[in-house]
Amino acid sequence: MIVVAAVALIALAVAGGLVREVLRADQGTERMQNIARAVQEGAAAYLTRQFRTLAIFVVVIPFLLLLLPGETDVRIGRSIFFVVGAVFSALTGFMGMWLAVRGNVRVAAAARDTGEKRAMRIAFRTGGVAGMFTVGLGLLGAAVVVFLYQGDAPGVLEGFGFGAALLAMFMRVGGGIFTKAADVGADLVGKVEQGIPEDDPRNAATIADNVGDNVGDCAGMAADLFESYAVMLVASLILGKVAFGEQGLIFPLIVPMIGVVTAIIGIFVTGLRDRDRSGMSAINRSFFISAAISAVLVAAAAFWYLPDSFGALSGSAVKSDADPRLIAIGAVLIGLVLASAIQLLTGYFTETNRRPVREIGESSATGPATVILAGISVGLESAVYSALIIAGAVYGAFLLGFGNVTIALFAVALAGTGLLTTVGVIVSMDTFGPVSDNAQGIAEMSGDVEGEGARVLTSLDAVGNTTKAITKGIAIATAVLAATALFGAFRTAVESQLAQTSSFSLSIDQPNVLVGLVVGAAVVFLFAGLAIMAVGRAAMRVVFEVRDQFRNNPGIMDGSVKPEYGRVVDICTRDSLRELATPGLLAVMTPIAVGFAFGYAPLGAFLAGAIACGTLMAVFLANSGGAWDNAKKLVEDGHHGGKGSEAHAATVIGDTVGDPFKDTAGPAINPLIKVMNLVALLVAPSVVLYAGNAALRVGVTVFALAVVVGAIVVSKRRSATSEPANNHKREQTPVAS
Amino acid sequence: MIVVAAVALIALAVAGGLVREVLRADQGTERMQNIARAVQEGAAAYLTRQFRTLAIFVVVIPFLLLLLPGETDVRIGRSIFFVVGAVFSALTGFMGMWLAVRGNVRVAAAARDTGEKRAMRIAFRTGGVAGMFTVGLGLLGAAVVVFLYQGDAPGVLEGFGFGAALLAMFMRVGGGIFTKAADVGADLVGKVEQGIPEDDPRNAATIADNVGDNVGDCAGMAADLFESYAVMLVASLILGKVAFGEQGLIFPLIVPMIGVVTAIIGIFVTGLRDRDRSGMSAINRSFFISAAISAVLVAAAAFWYLPDSFGALSGSAVKSDADPRLIAIGAVLIGLVLASAIQLLTGYFTETNRRPVREIGESSATGPATVILAGISVGLESAVYSALIIAGAVYGAFLLGFGNVTIALFAVALAGTGLLTTVGVIVSMDTFGPVSDNAQGIAEMSGDVEGEGARVLTSLDAVGNTTKAITKGIAIATAVLAATALFGAFRTAVESQLAQTSSFSLSIDQPNVLVGLVVGAAVVFLFAGLAIMAVGRAAMRVVFEVRDQFRNNPGIMDGSVKPEYGRVVDICTRDSLRELATPGLLAVMTPIAVGFAFGYAPLGAFLAGAIACGTLMAVFLANSGGAWDNAKKLVEDGHHGGKGSEAHAATVIGDTVGDPFKDTAGPAINPLIKVMNLVALLVAPSVVLYAGNAALRVGVTVFALAVVVGAIVVSKRRSATSEPANNHKREQTPVAS
């Protein structure tokens, strides 16, 4: 245990070292520094306001958690570690972003002065800080809980996971709305109406766009992966205790500890070699090297730490002839293979030179409608293959149980920890995306980076797009594995409350259970719909603001006057914080409503519906968006008429539709699934306990529904009152386009 | 029983009377008749070729059905009634369409010469023929099976339902691809590129567009609703025998028999009154009148036919203190309320004067991307409310079981028959859509209808759009109720084969069952993706053909030369027949693969996943499409700049994206769910019986997967070989736009 905690602290120390290395790098010209400072201020201001908004949840929910039945120790620990999980989640996001908004300008400067290798190195090490924080804090938190609470750890871990997941979901949704409102708004006025390039300093939304990359793709994503990491650990520790006894509380920490070690290796071996065709080769090398090292070390650890029979496991209630070491190794390998398979599949469906994106590009010959249709069908199809691969991994882990469900569920959880041994590298890869995107933005806006330096940044930006798509695939896979594993915890929670008279069953041939399933799937649709709608609303306000600035101040267009960037940042900040409440409340309240209204079995089916539908929807949204983005790049590279052609306009429309798909609604489904699972897990004992108390059930259900419906109605009314004013303004003063 | 069969024959006789009445009407000018004849020929040619293509299934599958285990009598009957179901389904579609392509020109002529009342009357009576065929043939088939096979009827009815559902699915998919390839192709070249109006005779795709309305919206839809009707009867008869004994085999026939009577009343009372604001008022009146009469008659029938306790039901194994009459009445009422609720909800989300469509219209101020995003979020949200209403109906029926699952499932089925008492009117309403759409097309192309006549036809067309959206909502609701009810049949099929050692459970906390659930949801995504892709491919070929005709023959544009309409009809016919195989095989083969590979419990979960995800996807696609269509109409009515404005262009793009959503992929999900359920029901005994035979299981799984994967690969290769040639042609001779 002490070794695990020590490794976690080493990870944080490595993060500190990386911070120093990045900060020592050159910051480029005065103009570049000014732009970077504006981005830093906007991002910090947003995150501060976001944390202030979310503080209410972090203060109120621990008290609500105390109301749940159970032992006092566990309840207090759960509340405390809820706060710890939430703070760690916020801290991971904040630190990743804090360095990203400082790394970006240094990457741009390095590209300008020193060349690709050095720029790539700074970008990847900037990402490394977020990676190290994710694994360091996740491992530290879980180890401390296990150390302090021993056998009672599962109940406390639920709080830790819930805190992490809830905060991550809000950061994903809020950051996602911010970044895409700014991006869509900037593109609609800039590229489509005024015909000026991306990141043009005359566009009032550019600073907001760059701020958005950091608060959404960087802070939101880091918090999301921290949450995936924490919840996966929680699930495997809860199940480990049941399946493997005391060793089951340690082995799920050894696997990610190995992951920390290999992630450090992965981050330090990442460097461009002369024969690499692109930065992607270097990143792929680092990913596969650390995956391979993980596999070997996990096998060694299993043989060193675990006995060769279940009888020799102290405290395990499982009877089985299988060898626990082979089960553990097999499960972790499934996770590693799954990570690699998703990496390859996502690449196929979103890379520029593969058939799906090429076909979307070809469909631009018949205009935007066929581009949209092609992208949607590619997304739907790719979602199916991803879901089947993930389902295959679950089934493989299930087979490792040899008919014993307890072992099977633990194997699913271990496959998840296997998947997550790669998370350090994954987070580094992903943060690499917004950092290089921002570096290019700063270079473009300042006008101080040209020639070879600009080429380097464009190439890094393209690599960043691919890594971002891969991370989303990995994140949703962890959601499915964690959620599947948590069914075991759900069963335990329900069974311990059920009277001996009835046995646990989530059999979906019962109409009421099937109703739960439909409602669970429906929540995913509603969540996605609300998130997309929120982006659309906020983006329209950005459009009106930017148009107003162009119109009221003709000096902006000829470059003599600087636009008021701050006003767009303010609009995005205000709107995204306002809009994140509705989807957030939906996630927290619906499991409560379903559980108390219908009972535990429909609640279990609700989770299953959300998992099945959520997996497909998340991958569909992410891959459609990624494919449209790269179809646009394909046209910009000179195919089908190149920049400025009608085909280009068609693919820009596709990309704009894809923006909230891939960066708001899609990635937020991952924490959504986890939040709903953890809420269900927390309320399950109460649902069973108060099954006979009709007044309480009706009261809780009505309260939960009233909150959700109220939030939806308020957000709709907001749009009804704010839109007409804008439209009115617009109609008075039409803008030539 | 004889009364039921007699009522069925009366319905067919009424259909004959309606045919005579419609055919007697005036056919308009020579030019109008010529156009109508071209549409008639195209539609008849397509349907003939489609039936020839599908004949192979109708010939082969009965032999495959004979291979299933069971009593010889039942197996032979099942094969025979499979053919009967398929033929009835085809016949309903064919007859509905046969009269529709003759009614259209007569409606146009009536609008020109006699006015709105008469035009409305002919259009609605034309629809009435399809309605009478649906209920007449459905009731006749079910009554004959029950009469011939008595207690063995359920096994034979499975064949009848499967034949109906399979043929309907192929007709929905094939017709849906045809109609939308023609429509999208016509719009992309006509409206978007050349700026000529819809149904302009210079557009080579107009005849194909009108043919498509008939083969898709008319023949496909009639077959689909016949299938819904037949499968619902099958489900309620199977469950009725278990729950209500012998009376349970009769009462589910009495309810739809009452539906036939009220549908006849509904069709004959439909007529415009002077104070009606639009045709929609007349149709709504007819719908609610027949629903109210149904409710009263069903209550009377229940009190007359059913005893007041379960003990008095002969042959019922159920022990319950409840009153079967009240359960039956309650269930049927739930179905009637559900039908009304869907009618109102669909109206809210797709009607021009309500907020959702208005907001999509407003989003056109910022271009096509925001129109697409707004439509998608409206669709996602509305799908959730529809799914919740349907789920609420299922839950209400479940509560009527008072804890007894057998009664609960029968109540779900009875709610379905209640819903379907309105089907006669619903089919008439729906067929009304393509007939008035075609009437407007013929009027426009011939140029012979102007002034008041043209206004009448535009108004009828708008009413048709609304009724089409409502039908889709009702159809998917029947799918959910039928599929939920069929779980009872699935359980019976499995339990009779299970050894006494294991008990039936579809508990989704088992990872393998959860995998089945994910795969079921995935099939819906894949099916939708493939259908949309097929339309996109076929539409691009239509675009290239129409462009070629414009380019090679400049006389077309100035009106001196008639375009070659037949070539576009040929392209649509060939492509839609080629493209329908892949989604069709997917529906038939995946339940077989899942069942034999994973076992009966994952197969059950597979169905549940398909139901949950399918409901949401079907409504999402239908309502997004409907809302975009009406947002376009809103702009065309003069809002946001009116016709020819940028807002109009943006909404036309939205409408084009929505076309395959609402008329191909969305409605085909309804028969898809039923086909998968019936295939699962048919193979379930074999899955259990051969669970220990690994070689057979692997063999069947590999075969089923090979067929599906092969079909997908072939359809992809086809696109890869045919697209570049077209693109090449296009690049050589760019078209000014």
Side-chain angles (χ1 to χ4, degrees):
Chain A
M1 190 59 55
I2 290 166
V3 176
V4 171
V7 168
L9 293 175
I10 289 174
L12 297 177
V14 169
L18 291 173
V19 169
R20 247 202 314 277
E21 181 184 339
V22 172
L23 289 184
R24 259 205 310 268
D26 180 57
Q27 296 192 56
T29 66
E30 184 70 25
R31 254 184 305 193
M32 287 161 71
Q33 290 180 37
N34 283 340
I35 294 164
R37 205 163 303 120
V39 174
Q40 284 160 23
E41 283 163 12
Y46 172 73
L47 231 54
T48 314
R49 277 179 65 177
Q50 188 179 44
F51 290 145
R52 217 153 44 207
T53 310
L54 297 182
I56 183 154
F57 289 96
V58 180
V59 170
V60 170
I61 289 179
F63 290 99
L64 294 178
L65 288 178
L66 287 177
L67 296 178
L68 296 173
E71 288 171 40
T72 313
D73 274 16
V74 173
R75 281 156 53 212
I76 293 175
R78 188 154 57 197
S79 291
I80 293 172
F81 276 90
F82 169 84
V83 177
V84 173
V87 170
F88 277 14
S89 196
L91 193 60
T92 306
F94 181 78
M95 282 308 301
M97 197 201 75
W98 185 87
L99 194 65
V101 292
R102 285 162 178 80
N104 52 15
V105 63
R106 291 168 170 86
V107 171
R112 177 171 175 264
D113 305 327
T114 338
E116 186 158 13
K117 273 193 196 173
R118 172 95 182 129
M120 170 96 191
R121 184 187 162 105
I122 296 178
F124 202 76
R125 302 237 156 147
T126 304
V129 172
M132 286 297 113
F133 262 90
T134 302
V135 295
L137 290 179
L139 202 52
L140 187 66
V144 168
V145 172
V146 172
F147 181 73
L148 290 179
Y149 290 87
Q150 307 283 345
D152 287 338
V156 177
L157 284 167
E158 287 169 12
F160 181 63
F162 181 41
L166 188 67
L167 211 92
M169 187 186 65
F170 280 122
M171 287 179 75
R172 259 300 192 196
V173 174
I177 295 172
F178 188 116
T179 179
K180 290 303 127 175
D183 191 2
V184 170
D187 283 0
L188 285 176
V189 185
K191 283 198 217 173
V192 179
E193 289 182 6
Q194 305 286 349
I196 58 178
E198 195 162 335
D199 292 323
D200 190 297
R202 291 171 292 181
N203 192 327
T206 40
I207 292 284
D209 188 6
N210 281 295
V211 170
D213 288 343
N214 291 295
V215 301
D217 299 351
C218 188
M221 180 281 309
D224 182 4
L225 279 179
F226 169 77
E227 167 272 322
S228 297
Y229 196 79
V231 173
M232 202 68 243
L233 284 184
V234 168
S236 51
L237 288 169
I238 293 176
L239 294 166
K241 192 188 156 208
V242 186
F244 276 26
E246 281 168 28
Q247 278 101 325
L249 273 176
I250 306 297
F251 192 73
L253 292 174
I254 294 180
V255 177
M257 184 189 82
I258 290 170
V260 172
V261 175
T262 54
I264 295 175
I265 297 174
I267 289 167
F268 282 100
V269 300
T270 305
L272 268 185
R273 294 189 195 158
D274 292 332
R275 61 166 197 276
D276 284 343
R277 277 169 314 159
S278 80
M280 204 58 221
S281 314
I283 287 180
N284 272 335
R285 189 166 53 235
S286 129
F287 176 84
F288 286 109
I289 286 176
S290 51
I293 297 177
S294 289
V296 173
L297 289 182
V298 166
F303 272 95
W304 163 75
Y305 184 73
L306 294 174
D308 64 355
S309 75
F310 275 87
L313 284 165
S314 60
S316 165
V318 170
K319 301 262 171 290
S320 169
D321 296 334
D323 183 337
R325 300 174 303 185
L326 296 182
I327 292 175
I329 295 170
V332 172
L333 279 184
I334 286 174
L336 287 167
V337 169
L338 174 60
S340 312
I342 287 176
Q343 177 140 20
L344 297 175
L345 186 79
T346 309
Y348 175 74
F349 276 100
T350 58
E351 273 174 27
T352 320
N353 51 349
R354 299 307 190 87
R355 190 198 281 167
V357 171
R358 261 195 351 249
E359 284 193 354
I360 297 176
E362 280 164 14
S363 71
S364 66
T366 39
T370 42
V371 170
I372 303 286
L373 288 173
I376 285 176
S377 53
V378 163
L380 289 171
E381 202 187 341
S382 69
V384 172
Y385 303 134
S386 276
L388 291 181
I389 288 180
I390 298 171
V394 172
Y395 200 77
F398 164 76
L399 291 180
L400 284 176
F402 295 103
N404 184 312
V405 175
T406 309
I407 302 178
L409 288 172
F410 185 47
V412 172
L414 275 184
T417 60
L419 185 70
L420 286 175
T421 55
T422 62
V423 89
V425 177
I426 295 276
V427 175
S428 315
M429 276 164 59
D430 196 296
T431 310
F432 182 91
V435 170
S436 46
D437 193 352
N438 257 246
Q440 210 200 357
I442 291 171
E444 186 96 25
M445 288 177 71
S446 67
D448 286 344
V449 185
E450 280 165 347
E452 175 62 12
R455 193 204 57 76
V456 166
L457 290 175
T458 306
S459 136
L460 290 186
D461 187 21
V463 172
N465 270 328
T466 307
T467 59
K468 273 163 64 182
I470 292 168
T471 313
K472 283 164 204 156
I474 302 273
I476 192 68
T478 71
V480 177
L481 294 178
T484 307
L486 284 174
F487 265 118
F490 184 78
R491 161 188 279 249
T492 312
V494 170
E495 274 188 334
S496 67
Q497 290 290 344
L498 273 179
Q500 297 298 325
T501 45
S502 61
S503 69
F504 180 84
S505 167
L506 305 180
S507 193
I508 38 173
D509 63 313
Q510 315 284 314
N512 57 333
V513 182
L514 192 64
V515 166
L517 188 75
V518 173
V519 176
V523 169
V524 172
F525 271 66
L526 188 55
F527 183 85
L530 291 174
I532 292 171
M533 212 176 285
V535 171
R537 270 201 295 264
M540 278 174 88
R541 281 186 213 112
V542 171
V543 166
F544 296 132
E545 171 65 30
V546 177
R547 274 184 185 157
D548 271 359
Q549 293 202 17
F550 273 125
R551 193 176 53 236
N552 298 336
N553 201 336
I556 293 176
M557 202 59 197
D558 59 35
S560 62
V561 181
K562 262 185 30 176
E564 293 180 67
Y565 302 118
R567 292 189 55 175
V568 181
V569 174
D570 281 348
I571 289 174
C572 291
T573 303
R574 199 192 57 220
D575 277 25
S576 53
L577 290 177
R578 254 180 9 186
E579 301 276 9
L580 62 72
T582 311
L585 290 171
L586 183 72
V588 175
M589 290 299 172
T590 45
I592 296 176
V594 170
F596 281 92
F598 298 147
Y600 84 86
L603 178 59
F606 169 88
L607 299 177
I611 294 171
C613 201
T615 310
L616 289 156
M617 188 60 96
V619 183
F620 158 55
L621 294 171
N623 287 2
S624 283
W628 276 318
D629 196 345
N630 278 343
K632 184 193 67 178
K633 285 198 191 307
L634 193 73
V635 174
E636 288 176 352
D637 285 352
H639 299 264
H640 308 293
K643 274 195 181 182
S645 65
E646 296 220 346
H648 186 227
T651 52
V652 166
I653 290 168
D655 180 40
T656 309
V657 171
D659 273 336
F661 276 37
K662 71 179 197 297
D663 289 322
T664 312
I669 289 174
N670 167 32
L672 168 78
I673 291 175
K674 257 83 72 83
V675 166
M676 295 204 299
N677 259 280
L678 287 162
V679 170
L681 189 55
L682 288 164
V683 300
S686 310
V687 164
V688 178
L689 197 60
Y690 301 116
N693 187 337
L696 181 100
R697 286 176 57 191
V698 170
V700 172
T701 306
V702 168
F703 170 74
L705 285 181
V707 170
V708 171
V709 173
I712 293 176
V713 169
V714 167
S715 78
K716 293 218 173 267
R717 184 154 305 164
R718 198 155 57 215
S719 85
T721 52
S722 60
E723 232 73 78
N726 278 321
N727 268 330
H728 182 64
K729 207 160 61 181
R730 160 109 181 95
E731 275 160 27
Q732 283 183 318
T733 49
V735 173
S737 60
Chain B
M1 189 61 56
I2 290 167
V3 175
V4 172
V7 169
L9 293 175
I10 290 173
L12 296 177
V14 170
L18 291 173
V19 169
R20 246 201 317 277
E21 179 183 341
V22 171
L23 290 184
R24 258 204 312 270
D26 179 56
Q27 295 193 56
T29 67
E30 183 70 25
R31 254 186 303 195
M32 287 162 73
Q33 290 180 38
N34 283 339
I35 294 164
R37 205 165 302 121
V39 174
Q40 283 161 23
E41 283 164 12
Y46 172 74
L47 230 53
T48 314
R49 277 179 64 176
Q50 188 179 45
F51 289 145
R52 216 153 45 204
T53 309
L54 297 181
I56 182 156
F57 288 96
V58 181
V59 170
V60 171
I61 289 179
F63 291 99
L64 294 178
L65 288 178
L66 287 177
L67 296 178
L68 296 174
E71 286 171 43
T72 313
D73 274 16
V74 174
R75 282 157 53 213
I76 292 175
R78 187 151 60 195
S79 292
I80 292 171
F81 276 90
F82 168 84
V83 177
V84 173
V87 169
F88 277 14
S89 196
L91 193 60
T92 306
F94 181 78
M95 280 310 300
M97 196 199 75
W98 185 88
L99 193 66
V101 293
R102 283 160 179 81
N104 52 16
V105 64
R106 291 167 171 88
V107 171
R112 178 170 173 264
D113 304 326
T114 338
E116 185 158 13
K117 272 192 196 174
R118 171 96 182 129
M120 171 97 190
R121 183 187 163 106
I122 296 178
F124 202 76
R125 303 237 156 148
T126 304
V129 172
M132 286 297 114
F133 262 90
T134 302
V135 296
L137 290 179
L139 201 53
L140 185 66
V144 168
V145 172
V146 171
F147 182 72
L148 289 180
Y149 290 87
Q150 307 283 347
D152 286 338
V156 177
L157 284 167
E158 288 168 13
F160 181 64
F162 182 41
L166 188 68
L167 210 93
M169 187 185 66
F170 280 121
M171 288 180 73
R172 258 300 191 196
V173 174
I177 295 172
F178 188 117
T179 178
K180 289 303 127 174
D183 190 1
V184 170
D187 283 0
L188 284 176
V189 185
K191 284 198 217 171
V192 180
E193 289 182 6
Q194 305 286 349
I196 56 178
E198 197 161 336
D199 292 321
D200 190 295
R202 290 171 291 179
N203 192 328
T206 39
I207 292 285
D209 188 7
N210 281 295
V211 170
D213 287 344
N214 292 296
V215 301
D217 299 351
C218 186
M221 181 280 310
D224 182 6
L225 280 179
F226 170 76
E227 167 273 322
S228 298
Y229 195 78
V231 173
M232 202 68 243
L233 283 185
V234 167
S236 52
L237 289 169
I238 293 176
L239 293 166
K241 194 190 152 206
V242 186
F244 276 26
E246 280 168 28
Q247 278 101 325
L249 274 176
I250 306 297
F251 191 71
L253 292 174
I254 294 180
V255 177
M257 185 190 80
I258 290 170
V260 171
V261 175
T262 54
I264 294 174
I265 298 172
I267 289 169
F268 283 98
V269 300
T270 304
L272 268 184
R273 296 188 193 158
D274 292 331
R275 62 165 196 277
D276 284 343
R277 277 169 314 160
S278 79
M280 203 59 221
S281 313
I283 288 182
N284 271 334
R285 188 167 53 235
S286 132
F287 176 86
F288 286 109
I289 285 176
S290 51
I293 297 177
S294 289
V296 173
L297 289 183
V298 165
F303 273 95
W304 163 73
Y305 184 73
L306 293 174
D308 64 355
S309 74
F310 275 87
L313 283 165
S314 60
S316 165
V318 169
K319 301 259 170 295
S320 170
D321 296 334
D323 184 336
R325 300 174 303 186
L326 297 182
I327 292 175
I329 295 170
V332 172
L333 278 184
I334 287 175
L336 287 168
V337 170
L338 175 60
S340 312
I342 287 176
Q343 176 140 19
L344 297 175
L345 186 79
T346 308
Y348 175 75
F349 276 101
T350 58
E351 272 174 28
T352 320
N353 53 348
R354 298 306 189 89
R355 190 199 280 167
V357 171
R358 260 194 353 246
E359 284 193 354
I360 298 176
E362 280 164 15
S363 71
S364 66
T366 39
T370 41
V371 170
I372 302 288
L373 288 173
I376 286 177
S377 53
V378 162
L380 289 171
E381 203 187 340
S382 68
V384 172
Y385 304 134
S386 276
L388 291 181
I389 288 179
I390 298 171
V394 172
Y395 200 77
F398 163 78
L399 291 179
L400 284 176
F402 295 103
N404 185 312
V405 175
T406 308
I407 302 179
L409 288 173
F410 184 48
V412 172
L414 274 184
T417 59
L419 185 70
L420 287 175
T421 54
T422 62
V423 89
V425 176
I426 295 277
V427 175
S428 314
M429 276 164 59
D430 196 297
T431 308
F432 181 90
V435 169
S436 46
D437 192 352
N438 256 248
Q440 211 201 356
I442 291 171
E444 186 95 25
M445 287 176 72
S446 67
D448 286 344
V449 185
E450 279 165 349
E452 174 61 13
R455 194 204 59 74
V456 165
L457 289 174
T458 306
S459 136
L460 290 186
D461 187 21
V463 172
N465 270 329
T466 307
T467 59
K468 273 164 64 183
I470 292 168
T471 314
K472 284 165 204 156
I474 302 272
I476 192 67
T478 70
V480 177
L481 294 178
T484 306
L486 284 174
F487 265 118
F490 183 78
R491 162 188 276 251
T492 313
V494 169
E495 273 185 337
S496 66
Q497 290 290 345
L498 274 179
Q500 297 298 325
T501 45
S502 61
S503 69
F504 180 84
S505 168
L506 304 180
S507 192
I508 38 172
D509 63 314
Q510 316 285 312
N512 57 333
V513 182
L514 192 64
V515 165
L517 187 75
V518 172
V519 176
V523 168
V524 172
F525 271 66
L526 188 55
F527 184 85
L530 291 174
I532 292 172
M533 213 176 286
V535 171
R537 270 201 294 264
M540 277 173 89
R541 281 188 212 110
V542 171
V543 166
F544 295 132
E545 170 65 29
V546 177
R547 274 184 185 157
D548 272 359
Q549 293 202 19
F550 273 127
R551 195 178 48 235
N552 298 335
N553 201 337
I556 293 176
M557 200 61 197
D558 59 34
S560 61
V561 182
K562 259 182 37 173
E564 295 179 66
Y565 302 118
R567 292 190 55 175
V568 182
V569 174
D570 281 349
I571 290 175
C572 291
T573 304
R574 199 191 56 218
D575 276 26
S576 53
L577 290 178
R578 254 181 8 187
E579 301 276 8
L580 63 72
T582 310
L585 291 171
L586 184 71
V588 175
M589 290 299 171
T590 46
I592 297 176
V594 169
F596 280 92
F598 299 147
Y600 84 86
L603 177 59
F606 168 89
L607 298 178
I611 295 170
C613 201
T615 310
L616 288 157
M617 188 60 95
V619 182
F620 158 55
L621 294 171
N623 286 3
S624 283
W628 275 318
D629 196 346
N630 278 343
K632 184 193 68 177
K633 285 199 191 307
L634 193 73
V635 173
E636 288 175 352
D637 286 350
H639 298 266
H640 308 292
K643 273 197 183 183
S645 66
E646 297 221 346
H648 186 228
T651 51
V652 167
I653 290 169
D655 180 40
T656 310
V657 170
D659 272 336
F661 276 36
K662 71 179 198 299
D663 288 322
T664 312
I669 289 174
N670 167 31
L672 168 78
I673 291 176
K674 256 83 70 83
V675 167
M676 296 206 298
N677 257 282
L678 287 161
V679 171
L681 189 55
L682 288 165
V683 300
S686 311
V687 164
V688 178
L689 197 61
Y690 301 117
N693 187 338
L696 181 100
R697 287 176 55 193
V698 170
V700 172
T701 306
V702 168
F703 170 74
L705 285 181
V707 170
V708 171
V709 174
I712 293 177
V713 169
V714 167
S715 78
K716 293 218 173 264
R717 185 154 304 164
R718 198 155 57 215
S719 85
T721 53
S722 60
E723 231 73 79
N726 278 323
N727 268 328
H728 181 64
K729 208 160 60 180
R730 158 108 180 96
E731 275 160 26
Q732 282 181 318
T733 48
V735 173
S737 61

